[in-house]
Amino acid sequence: MTIRRKAFIAGAYEHPGRELPDRSIAQIHAEVALGALADAGLTLADVDGYFTGGDAPGLGGLAMADYLGLAVRYMDSSDMGGSVYLSHVGHAAAAIATGKCSVALITLGGRPRTTALRAPGQLMGAPPEAAFEPVFGMNVSAVYALAAARHIHEYGTTSEQLAEIKVAASLHAQHNERALLRKVVTVEDVVNSPMVSSPLHRLDCCVVTDGGGALVLVNEDIAKSLDRHCVAVLGHGEAIEHTKGGWQDVTVTGGVRSGRDAFEEAGVSRSNIDYVGLYDSFTITVLLALEDLGFCDKGEGGKFVLGGTLQAPFGKLPFNTDGGSLCNNHPANRGGMTKMIEAVRQLRGEAHSAVQVPDCEIALAHGTGGWLSTRMGNATVILGREDA
């Protein structure tokens, strides 16, 4: 069974807020749900499938279904960190393809900028690595820095090459009036910014924002009935990568496998991709994704991003034209959702005119959830214009 062109994204909505001290997390989920449904021309009463991740409050999907008044016959509240909303697109498309639901709502919401995130293990106990990693100083920036340091050692990648990724994101963010950071930066700005965890500087790191986003997927019959340009789901893949008892190559992500499966299902090649939305928690996250998804050889990512490759509208492979998590937003510390939303905008021709990719027909969105160097969930989705 394939999901290719069995499900269509009819609605997409990004919360306009970046600091939301007067909203509850449930309210944010509700606001983005209503926004995406309005974009699709549908209502809460039309939803019969609901998908959300660990950022949802209380009992997650069950609590939010109650809060929204949803009468669903299919629900998925699985979690893979920042890549979960890309995996949920694949799960929702599969549910639609098999008739488990016909209108699937996917919501993300959180407030990490104004309130602390729920402590890991608060509801389900501490994870098994708790006694071995955090106690010795391992934290989020450190595990990404470890991957970056190894890549620099192994392949000769430079901090200046990593900085090119931030520069491209900032060139795009200047056109996004809602982006948290709109200032265009240079390579020198990045490498001269304070060191956070060597070799990663402050400007190699993503922003932290409140906010959220939502998507609505529908079956083919409903898509044809809507007065809206829908986007077809062409392919999906997901994979986990972990420490393997200490035998892990920290320069490789599960994107090798999730990308392979997504391309195979979509029936397209790397050269067919007009736009990529890549989860950019750190600059190294993007570089590894480019390599592991096959856009360049392993170890060649640093050279690949030079010369404006990632810059829209005319770069070889434009990416994250809203500014991404490096400059625009990073709601609930989960950047996969906004990568999907901007990919939908590109395929609809609704991105900002300064960064709209000409004749954008096929887009890829990819996320790495969890942490590089330890354990991660990876998900890749390939999308196409409805009429392509």
Side-chain angles (χ1 to χ4, degrees):
M1 192 275 290
T2 179
I3 63 171
R4 184 177 182 182
R5 293 193 176 275
K6 297 294 180 63
F8 297 79
I9 298 175
Y13 182 80
E14 177 186 358
H15 201 288
R18 300 294 179 264
E19 295 189 40
L20 301 168
D22 59 341
R23 304 286 211 289
S24 69
I25 292 176
Q27 283 179 296
I28 297 171
H29 276 267
E31 289 175 1
V32 297
L34 293 172
L37 286 164
D39 184 51
L42 298 168
T43 70
L44 289 169
D46 296 308
V47 176
D48 61 352
Y50 181 54
F51 300 73
T52 192
D55 51 274
L59 288 176
L62 182 59
M64 285 307 308
D66 178 26
Y67 187 82
L68 294 169
L70 299 176
V72 298
R73 55 194 180 101
Y74 192 91
M75 188 175 75
D76 182 347
S77 54
S78 57
D79 199 15
M80 292 208 312
S83 62
V84 62
Y85 291 99
L86 292 137
S87 73
H88 279 168
V89 170
H91 298 179
I96 288 171
T98 55
K100 297 294 185 181
C101 63
S102 56
V103 177
L105 170 66
I106 310 173
T107 66
L108 155 76
R111 299 174 56 212
R113 190 171 180 85
T114 54
T115 61
L117 289 173
R118 186 174 64 207
Q122 181 176 322
L123 293 181
M124 294 175 285
E129 70 272 11
F132 302 95
E133 294 175 8
V135 294
F136 294 106
M138 183 68 83
N139 57 34
V140 173
S141 58
V143 293
Y144 285 79
L146 179 61
R150 186 65 192 180
H151 204 279
I152 287 171
H153 170 78
E154 194 79 23
Y155 301 109
T157 307
T158 67
S159 292
E160 287 76 13
Q161 290 171 337
L162 288 172
E164 292 281 356
I165 297 167
K166 177 73 169 196
V167 170
S170 74
L171 288 168
H172 300 157
Q174 68 176 314
H175 304 294
N176 182 354
E177 63 181 14
R178 292 172 177 162
L180 188 70
L181 302 180
R182 296 186 65 188
K183 179 183 177 182
V184 174
V185 300
T186 64
V187 168
E188 291 72 24
D189 291 332
V190 179
V191 298
N192 290 327
S193 63
M195 190 69 74
V196 172
S197 186
S198 181
L200 298 177
H201 302 81
R202 178 186 293 167
L203 292 181
D204 285 297
C205 308
C206 66
V207 299
V208 177
T209 68
D210 301 340
L215 297 165
V216 176
L217 280 74
V218 300
N219 64 25
E220 185 176 13
D221 290 340
I222 294 175
K224 290 178 178 178
S225 73
L226 297 175
D227 184 21
R228 190 69 173 103
H229 176 69
C230 297
V231 170
V233 179
L234 302 182
H236 162 258
E238 58 187 68
I240 61 169
E241 189 73 22
H242 51 71
T243 59
K244 300 174 183 174
W247 295 100
Q248 182 182 23
D249 181 347
V250 299
T251 69
V252 176
T253 73
V256 171
R257 289 174 288 137
S258 67
R260 177 200 64 203
D261 292 348
F263 275 106
E264 182 178 332
E265 182 166 48
V268 302
S269 67
R270 277 75 179 168
S271 62
N272 296 132
I273 302 299
D274 300 308
Y275 169 83
V276 292
L278 302 177
Y279 190 10
D280 50 346
S281 47
F282 296 84
T283 51
I284 184 62
T285 318
V286 174
L287 188 140
L288 294 187
L290 289 167
E291 294 178 348
D292 292 346
L293 292 170
F295 291 107
C296 61
D297 291 337
K298 176 54 68 178
E300 295 297 313
K303 296 176 183 177
F304 182 79
V305 300
L306 298 177
T309 295
L310 302 179
Q311 296 175 21
F314 301 117
K316 180 180 178 182
L317 191 66
F319 100 122
N320 296 8
T321 45
D322 61 342
S325 298
L326 285 170
C327 296
N328 176 26
N329 70 345
H330 193 205
N333 288 346
R334 288 158 179 252
M337 172 64 81
T338 49
K339 304 306 169 286
M340 286 293 308
I341 293 172
E342 185 67 3
V344 170
R345 291 190 190 114
Q346 281 287 347
L347 291 167
R348 286 175 168 178
E350 295 174 353
H352 191 283
S353 59
V355 295
Q356 175 66 53
V357 176
D359 302 317
C360 187
E361 294 188 357
I362 301 178
L364 176 148
H366 175 77
T368 303
W371 302 275
L372 296 184
S373 304
T374 56
R375 56 205 60 83
M376 70 192 83
N378 302 264
T380 309
V381 177
I382 298 176
L383 305 171
R385 281 193 345 209
E386 186 178 21
D387 55 355

